[in-house]
Amino acid sequence: NILLVEDDPMVRTHTEKQLIALGYRVTTAEKGPAALALIEQGLRPDLLFTDIIMPDGMNGRQLADAVRKHMPYLRVLFTSGYTQGTDVGGNEKGSGFLGKPFRRIELARKLREMLDAPEA
């Protein structure tokens, strides 16, 4: 089960379709606060797949930090097409990074790598 957080509606829909085609259950949110609310309401995904740069005062890094207060060992896959000068994450255990644009095969490989890794 993957929680997908992406503010661009076209990218969110396209990525959701790719994830479903790969066999994953997907819950989507367009912004960090909405995703955090889902976690606070009891959603327990196996992985958080989030854009790094998002509007409304909560970027992907901040979202991951907030979600990990509820689920400390949640795996987080960050994504972005704009990484210059940005903390792309992926350096800490249980985190990874996939640059945009990405192909389905790249997404599939990275997800398996993340989900099959030993717990933090």
Side-chain angles (χ1 to χ4, degrees):
N1 186 15
I2 296 175
L3 174 54
L4 170 64
V5 187
E6 169 63 56
D7 61 299
D8 183 304
M10 288 178 42
V11 174
R12 185 174 58 249
T13 299
H14 179 70
T15 304
E16 178 182 21
K17 287 178 182 177
Q18 287 187 65
L19 292 168
I20 291 169
L22 290 168
Y24 296 101
R25 288 186 315 265
V26 183
T27 303
T28 63
E30 70 176 282
K31 298 177 184 172
L36 185 56
L38 290 169
I39 296 294
E40 290 171 346
Q41 293 167 10
L43 179 68
R44 292 295 177 257
D46 298 298
L47 182 133
L48 169 62
F49 184 27
T50 182
D51 194 0
I52 293 173
I53 300 172
M54 294 186 290
D56 294 338
M58 180 180 272
N59 64 35
R61 175 80 255 162
Q62 293 163 327
L63 171 61
D65 290 344
V67 168
R68 282 186 168 153
K69 289 179 182 173
H70 299 273
M71 301 179 67
Y73 301 109
L74 180 66
R75 291 171 170 91
V76 179
L77 179 57
F78 295 101
T79 188
S80 182
Y82 309 98
T83 57
Q84 189 170 3
T86 303
D87 175 12
V88 296
N91 293 328
E92 65 188 54
K93 192 166 179 129
S95 296
F97 178 77
L98 181 63
K100 291 180 191 176
F102 49 80
R103 296 182 7 228
R104 184 183 298 185
I105 189 69
E106 295 166 328
L107 175 62
R109 284 183 188 141
K110 192 64 178 182
L111 288 171
R112 284 293 9 128
E113 176 186 315
M114 296 286 304
L115 292 169
D116 291 344
E119 285 197 21

